[in-house]
């Protein structure tokens, strides 16, 4: 992570290997998405950061990472309003280079990332 990105967020969700307890069986309920840096990705990141207190955004030189706890709900209609032009689930998926957690496209307007695999069962 660049020092500019780290200073911009003042947060770092990544742990050093010396700080990771590999003997713990604790399950993380985090989920997240990494997007290629673009106008759309920046708008999505800014919108999510402003509207969900559990979201952490990390700006890297070529990507933007959006991380959350439990689940992240991306409403295309709300992002469209924030961005000022149409945002579709397809455009969202094109901008997404990778994700972790279970991604479910509920309908044409809603994409949800689940960190808790039990919670996603109603959609499978």
């Amino acid at each position: 992570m660049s020092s500019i990105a780290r200073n911009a967020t003042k947060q770092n969700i990544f742990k050093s290997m010396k700080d990771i307890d590999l003997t713990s069986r604790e399950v993380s309920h985090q989920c997240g998405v990494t997007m290629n840096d673009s106008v759309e990705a920046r708008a999505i990141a800014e919108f999510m950061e402003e509207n969900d207190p559990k979201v952490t955004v990390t700006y890297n030189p070529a990507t933007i990472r959006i991380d959350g706890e439990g689940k992240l709900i991306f409403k295309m209609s709300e992002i469209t309003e924030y961005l000022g032009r149409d945002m579709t689930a397809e455009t969202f998926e094109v901008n997404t280079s990778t994700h972790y957690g279970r991604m479910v496209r509920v309908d044409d307007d809603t994409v949800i990332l689940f960190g808790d695999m039990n919670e996603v069962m109603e959609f499978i």
Side-chain angles (χ1 to χ4, degrees), residues 11 32 50 61 65 85-86 89 95 100-101 103 107 119:
Q11 298 176 12
E50 288 176 14
R65 184 171 165 140
R85 64 175 187 238
D86 195 34
N95 279 280
Y100 67 101
M103 183 183 283
D107 54 36
E119 195 174 348

Side-chain angles (χ1 to χ4, degrees), residues 48-121:
M48 293 300 289
E49 193 170 36
E50 288 176 14
N51 291 286
D52 188 341
K54 297 181 293 182
V55 166
T56 300
V57 174
T58 306
Y59 294 90
N60 296 309
T63 61
I64 300 172
R65 184 171 165 140
I66 304 169
D67 298 284
E69 183 75 27
K71 66 182 166 187
L72 293 171
I73 302 172
F74 298 91
K75 298 288 266 178
M76 300 306 121
S77 56
E78 294 173 354
I79 295 168
T80 290
E81 187 175 323
Y82 187 85
L83 179 61
R85 64 175 187 238
D86 195 34
M87 171 58 71
T88 65
E90 291 83 6
T91 305
F92 175 83
E93 290 175 12
V94 166
N95 279 280
T96 301
S97 60
T98 190
H99 70 278
Y100 67 101
R102 177 70 68 141
M103 183 183 283
V104 176
R105 184 171 168 182
V106 177
D107 54 36
D108 286 341
D109 189 53
T110 309
V111 175
I112 303 176
L113 273 169
F114 293 91
D116 183 348
M117 295 303 118
N118 294 318
E119 195 174 348
V120 77
M121 295 308 287

Side-chain angles (χ1 to χ4, degrees), residues 1-6 14 34-38 41-42 58-65:
M1 176 188 308
S2 73
S3 60
I4 294 170
R6 187 176 297 113
F14 306 108
T34 301
M35 308 186 92
N36 298 316
D37 193 355
S38 66
R42 285 181 179 269
T58 306
Y59 294 90
N60 296 309
T63 61
I64 300 172
R65 184 171 165 140

